[in-house]
Amino acid sequence: MDMKHILFLSLLIVFAGCSDVLDKTNLSAVPEEAVWNDAGYATAYVNKLYRDNLPAWNVYISGDSDEANSTSAILYGQLTSSSVDVWHYSQIRNINIFLDNIDLGTIEETTKKTLKAQAYLLRAWKYFEMVRVYGGIPIIDKAQSLSDDLYVKRNKTSDCIDFIIKDLESAAAELPWQWTNNDVGRFTKATALALKARVLLYYASPQFNLNNMKERWEVAYTANKVAVEELAKNGYGLYDSYENIWFDEMNKEVIFVQRYEEPGIFHNWDAATRPLDESQNITGCNAPSLEMVESYPMINGKNINDPDAGYDPILYWKNRDPRFKATIAYNGCLWELSGKTGRKQWTYVGAEAQPGVSGFYCRKAINTSYTPYFANRSSTDWVELRYAEVLLNYAECAAELGKMEEAYNVLKDIRKRAGILPGNDGMYGLVDGMNSDEMVKAILLERKIELAYEGKRYWDLRRRRLFKEELNGKKRHGVQPILKIDKEEFQKIENQIDLDKEYGTFFRDSIIELDKVFSIDFKDNYYFYALPEKHLQTNGNLEQTQGWDNGTFNPYE
């Protein structure tokens, strides 16, 4: 049994299992102290912590940015002070129980250290999830008892970042670079270094760093450079196939992962994202916007608006960045869902029983072999952090500090792996001589494309404070292909048509609005959300965030 299965087992399931180390009676009544004296029990406890705290597939977050269609209260400026509830203290208590007690037992020291390191990383992750939403929150590093003061106050954001970094450094000190056999998929030193680098990038970014303090960028740059170099030395790197990152499990690009295995644990990303006729129980999520589709450059790396790009607005899919076809399904494209050889995806008016909302579908991480049943029970691993992101994090820090050659080199490597042509100048379509601001914009565009539908775009817009500049006052759009001839006549010849040459003969694409009622209106106070009222009522010492309900807590300190 490998980590793909181990992480699915809760402590109670393990206790009731058939492993010989647990071949005892009345295992559901194992006394607590026995857990800290038995490596098997302690490992099972950590396995349960993994299971309860790892990030997972999110079929809705792309709709909180310009990636996809949605009716988003975040984008429409319709949040209340209780709309965003990310409060992980129950999970953190369970992690603290482990850290408070594991040193009290007799487990062999090396095993104890690696188990603690995994718990430290999980705690850092849960705190980071809250801090990027609210800013400073209460730091609780011990499991509270009734005799403790339970009415804790919010710590400064800077204190929270320091606490997270300390936990990640503690994890990095004791984790191995690689696990083998049954343990593949656990946190590694790479996970700790890469996550530390990401946290420091966030803290240097405008969301947290309104005054653009360069020392924060220096710290983030150093951490990201170390992460890139150390990971490369220890076998991590860009995987050869962009499309197969999700399907060739635990390849060299994967750093921070949640593993799945049907029937034990599964998700519905495939079903939620696929068209209804190839789905089950859910559909309509992650529908790409036209704005997202138009973000992809050509195969020569040039923007579609560049007069030298060679872009054809009718045959818009031709000669694009290869990541386009790995990510976007469009009218008439070959998409052999459910293992149907030769199946084409038609999105023209009248082609689908339940039409897609934007005229496009997301095809990233969609396993074409799944039938609709298994599309709703997908076991594709969620990759929270991969080497390409670490490179892009590093490049952004370098660009902020004027280290342009380093930033250029990263973008070239990313584009080379994607399949973009180098051109006679070896620039992969990049503009030569960019200044710092121009390079940052280029990197953010590269992130938008490289990390599309991986839950990163929304967070990038937040940490760079870009909603107003890029989205406010605008509406997202889609394409509605209209068939020019009779549908029945078209169906007789559809498999004989070369759409790369004849698309305009049979179709006319009409632009439609996806935001039918409201324009995008992301509020400035959304960069740090309000603490929900229920938490304030439970603990009167919690201050509300500035900008919400007369709040007094300053998230920038």
Side-chain angles (χ1 to χ4, degrees):
M1 181 182 293
D2 62 18
M3 190 60 177
K4 179 108 172 168
H5 300 79
I6 288 175
L7 295 183
F8 311 148
L9 302 179
S10 71
L11 187 58
L12 292 179
I13 292 173
V14 174
F15 284 173
C18 58
S19 175
D20 57 357
V21 73
L22 303 176
D23 190 14
K24 303 175 183 179
T25 60
N26 195 22
L27 294 177
S28 62
V30 172
E32 181 180 338
E33 59 270 18
V35 176
W36 320 124
N37 292 308
D38 187 295
Y41 290 162
T43 301
Y45 191 109
V46 171
N47 291 346
K48 182 63 162 60
L49 294 180
Y50 270 103
R51 189 64 200 94
D52 291 344
N53 293 289
L54 287 176
W57 293 89
N58 184 335
V59 300
Y60 301 109
I61 194 170
S62 62
D64 289 332
S65 74
D66 52 354
E67 286 183 310
N69 173 72
S70 70
T71 54
S72 170
I74 290 175
L75 290 187
Y76 296 155
Q78 297 170 342
L79 297 181
T80 70
S81 57
S82 292
S83 293
V84 180
D85 190 2
V86 182
W87 207 244
H88 294 318
Y89 287 101
S90 293
Q91 297 94 315
I92 287 171
R93 175 177 174 78
N94 290 333
I95 296 170
N96 284 339
I97 287 172
F98 179 85
L99 291 171
D100 290 347
N101 289 279
I102 187 63
D103 284 329
L104 303 178
T106 58
I107 297 171
E108 187 268 329
E109 194 64 26
T110 300
T111 300
K112 189 185 299 183
K113 286 181 177 179
T114 55
L115 290 173
K116 285 172 62 178
Q118 294 166 75
Y120 280 128
L121 199 149
L122 283 168
R123 188 169 69 178
W125 171 250
K126 301 317 284 186
Y127 271 104
F128 175 62
E129 285 192 310
M130 292 191 286
V131 169
R132 66 180 176 175
V133 170
Y134 300 121
I137 51 173
I139 296 174
I140 302 174
D141 61 357
K142 302 289 182 184
Q144 294 171 305
S145 65
L146 292 177
S147 60
D148 291 326
D149 181 3
L150 303 181
Y151 297 103
V152 293
K153 296 181 179 181
R154 294 176 73 169
N155 288 82
K156 291 180 179 180
T157 302
S158 55
D159 293 338
C160 293
I161 295 295
D162 289 344
F163 179 77
I164 292 167
I165 296 303
K166 181 180 177 182
D167 269 0
L168 290 171
E169 289 175 346
S170 296
E174 301 298 341
L175 286 169
W177 277 106
Q178 302 283 349
W179 294 90
T180 58
N181 301 324
N182 293 346
D183 292 313
V184 172
R186 293 188 184 276
F187 296 144
T188 63
K189 196 180 296 290
T191 318
L193 291 177
L195 186 54
K196 173 187 173 182
R198 183 204 275 184
V199 171
L200 290 170
L201 169 70
Y202 269 69
Y203 193 50
S205 297
Q207 179 194 5
F208 292 88
N209 190 13
L210 281 177
N211 297 321
N212 195 30
M213 292 181 279
K214 288 298 180 185
E215 55 266 33
R216 290 195 191 175
W217 285 111
E218 291 281 3
V219 172
Y221 167 79
T222 299
N224 278 279
K225 184 177 177 66
V226 167
V228 166
E229 292 175 348
E230 291 300 311
L231 267 63
K233 289 178 186 176
N234 286 278
Y236 294 87
L238 294 174
Y239 191 55
D240 291 342
S241 171
Y242 176 80
E243 185 173 2
N244 289 331
I245 289 169
W246 302 92
F247 306 122
D248 297 341
E249 295 181 349
M250 301 308 300
N251 61 73
K252 67 178 183 177
E253 190 155 344
V254 176
I255 296 169
F256 184 179
V257 60
Q258 157 89 290
R259 309 208 68 192
Y260 290 84
E261 183 74 15
E262 201 277 335
I265 184 170
F266 49 85
H267 57 83
N268 63 3
W269 170 267
D270 293 69
T273 306
R274 285 158 56 136
L276 181 62
D277 60 350
E278 301 294 345
S279 180
Q280 188 176 85
N281 298 329
I282 184 173
T283 190
C285 298
N286 302 304
S289 67
L290 178 60
E291 287 74 15
M292 185 67 199
V293 169
E294 291 180 337
S295 297
Y296 286 82
M298 304 299 290
I299 195 167
N300 58 19
K302 296 182 182 297
N303 186 284
I304 63 171
N305 296 319
D306 188 319
D308 297 325
Y311 178 65
D312 184 336
I314 296 176
L315 307 179
Y316 55 84
W317 59 86
K318 288 191 67 177
N319 300 319
R320 299 294 288 275
D321 176 340
R323 290 172 294 188
F324 178 96
K325 286 193 176 181
T327 310
I328 307 294
Y330 53 90
N331 186 43
C333 74
L334 184 68
W335 200 16
E336 298 176 319
L337 294 174
S338 305
K340 297 177 180 177
T341 302
R343 179 189 178 278
K344 292 183 178 180
Q345 181 60 54
W346 297 109
T347 65
Y348 63 83
V349 176
E352 301 176 278
Q354 180 173 317
V357 292
S358 73
F360 303 105
Y361 290 97
C362 170
R363 63 195 301 171
K364 178 174 275 190
I366 301 298
N367 189 326
T368 57
S369 70
Y370 284 158
T371 62
Y373 173 83
F374 283 106
N376 197 45
R377 302 171 67 87
S378 174
S379 58
T380 302
D381 292 348
W382 168 248
V383 182
E384 171 61 32
L385 184 51
R386 56 187 179 91
Y387 190 76
E389 185 195 336
V390 182
L391 285 175
L392 289 165
N393 294 347
Y394 162 55
E396 187 174 336
C397 295
E400 286 284 355
L401 297 173
K403 301 176 185 294
M404 309 311 285
E405 183 178 359
E406 294 173 56
Y408 268 113
N409 287 341
V410 167
L411 291 187
K412 289 177 184 178
D413 287 345
I414 295 285
R415 289 187 161 209
K416 180 179 179 180
R417 189 275 296 274
I420 289 177
L421 302 177
N424 293 331
D425 57 2
M427 292 296 289
Y428 294 87
L430 297 168
V431 176
D432 197 9
M434 285 188 280
N435 62 30
S436 181
D437 289 342
E438 291 167 338
M439 177 58 80
V440 169
K441 288 183 179 179
I443 291 165
L444 290 171
L445 176 59
E446 201 69 28
R447 292 177 70 94
K448 183 179 181 181
I449 296 162
E450 174 70 23
L451 306 174
Y453 305 99
E454 297 179 34
K456 304 301 187 288
R457 175 66 174 165
Y458 162 74
W459 295 109
D460 281 347
L461 289 170
R462 279 178 60 81
R463 68 177 181 81
R464 296 294 319 194
R465 300 181 71 93
L466 286 173
F467 279 98
K468 181 178 181 180
E469 176 183 335
E470 295 204 10
L471 300 185
N472 277 4
K474 299 178 182 178
K475 292 188 175 186
R476 293 162 293 183
H477 296 83
V479 167
Q480 188 177 69
I482 299 171
L483 189 60
K484 292 182 178 181
I485 68 172
D486 179 76
K487 178 181 175 181
E488 291 185 0
E489 291 301 313
F490 176 73
Q491 289 176 330
K492 293 177 184 178
I493 60 172
E494 64 181 41
N495 291 324
Q496 304 165 28
I497 296 170
D498 183 353
L499 291 180
D500 283 353
K501 297 178 180 178
E502 302 178 271
Y503 187 85
T505 301
F506 295 96
F507 296 101
R508 173 174 59 85
D509 286 346
S510 177
I511 307 301
I512 58 173
E513 287 186 347
L514 300 179
D515 298 300
K516 299 183 184 302
V517 179
F518 303 104
S519 296
I520 295 173
D521 185 23
F522 186 94
K523 305 296 186 184
D524 193 59
N525 61 331
Y526 287 10
Y527 288 112
F528 289 105
Y529 293 123
L531 297 189
E533 184 64 28
K534 65 181 182 180
H535 302 309
L536 301 179
Q537 292 175 351
T538 301
N539 178 1
N541 281 337
L542 290 176
E543 294 179 67
Q544 184 56 281
T545 308
Q546 289 179 356
W548 296 88
D549 302 336
N550 300 311
T552 56
F553 182 84
N554 182 358
Y556 298 102
E557 292 183 342

